[in-house]
Amino acid sequence: MLDKLITELDKGLRTLCAPAHSARAHPDQGVDEADLSAAEKRHALGLMRVNHCGEVCAQALYQGQALTARDPSAREALRQAAQEEVEHLAWTERRIRELGGRPSLLNPLWYTGSLALGVAAGVLGDKWNLGFLQETERQVGAHLDSHLSALPEGDARSRAIVSQMRDDELQHAEMAHELGAAELPAPLKAAMKLSAKVMTGSSYRF
């Protein structure tokens, strides 16, 4: 148990403090940098900071869910999804730096809350655990679609990253569905959307 706690603490510290690395090529590789205005750059930076914060939350959520998952296939699915989210962390982190910014100062707060939420989801049982994964990824996919509309039209580098992230998130949702995810009650889905709005608004600015 002590070894497991140390391992999970190490994962958290790496997510919050260490640079993430991607096994796949960055989606914006070979895409030319746009000549953005100061306002466009600030807006793109805010949106990419939101996306990076979302990936920090995803790491914590999947970490908590994997800790409490009972079925080995569900646990492996969560770990696979978490690994792709690490790549998303790397992509968004580099793009934030390119735009002249820094990640959200509130990441530790959101990480802690998401970890607790993931543990709670896993305790309810695997079908609900997977259901939470499925709904999270559906909502994230819709959120990323909205960012594709909101990003400056000329910012092809950020668009390439967000587009690939969206495709990955929808694949995670489909994977959870195929593994037997339960459909979450409407009030819980609404609460998840409200929480996401609070995170989005705060991380865009801070």
Side-chain angles (χ1 to χ4, degrees):
M1 178 59 71
L2 180 59
D3 287 346
K4 181 177 286 190
L5 288 174
I6 291 173
T7 298
E8 298 308 321
L9 177 61
D10 178 68
K11 288 180 182 177
L13 290 173
R14 286 177 182 274
T15 297
L16 293 170
C17 304
H21 300 283
S22 177
R24 289 182 288 175
H26 286 237
D28 59 336
Q29 182 175 315
V31 179
D32 292 335
E33 185 66 80
D35 185 16
L36 302 174
S37 69
E40 288 176 327
K41 187 173 287 190
R42 281 196 305 272
H43 184 49
L45 171 59
L47 294 177
M48 295 309 289
R49 185 159 50 224
V50 168
N51 292 330
H52 181 269
C53 184
E55 298 305 326
V56 168
C57 291
Q59 282 297 303
L61 183 67
Y62 295 150
Q63 183 182 349
Q65 288 181 282
L67 278 172
T68 48
R70 297 171 179 81
D71 180 43
S73 61
R75 192 180 306 118
E76 182 56 33
L78 288 161
R79 286 177 177 158
Q80 179 182 336
Q83 181 54 47
E84 290 192 352
E85 304 294 350
V86 170
E87 296 185 322
H88 297 175
L89 268 179
W91 303 344
T92 52
E93 181 181 304
R94 189 177 78 174
R95 187 61 185 149
I96 285 171
R97 301 300 185 194
E98 290 172 348
L99 291 166
R102 46 131 185 92
S104 173
L105 298 173
L106 301 176
N107 279 347
L109 173 65
W110 290 111
Y111 182 92
T112 303
S114 297
L115 180 63
L117 194 57
V119 170
V123 168
L124 294 174
D126 286 336
K127 71 174 184 176
W128 296 108
N129 200 358
L130 290 166
F132 198 82
L133 168 63
Q134 176 180 251
E135 182 59 26
T136 297
E137 297 293 33
R138 284 175 177 171
Q139 291 192 16
V140 170
H143 161 84
L144 293 172
D145 265 333
S146 73
H147 276 204
L148 285 172
S149 299
L151 279 165
E153 188 172 342
D155 189 2
R157 290 178 68 89
S158 296
R159 288 177 171 279
I161 292 169
V162 172
S163 180
Q164 184 59 58
M165 287 170 59
R166 185 224 21 225
D167 292 348
D168 289 345
E169 307 296 6
L170 294 179
Q171 286 179 6
H172 297 164
E174 182 60 29
M175 174 184 64
H177 176 74
E178 291 175 356
L179 287 170
E183 195 70 29
L184 298 188
L188 182 53
K189 291 181 181 181
M192 292 168 65
K193 287 182 180 179
L194 178 60
S195 176
K197 283 184 178 180
V198 173
M199 184 274 287
T200 297
S202 59
S203 57
Y204 181 89
R205 295 188 297 275
F206 305 110

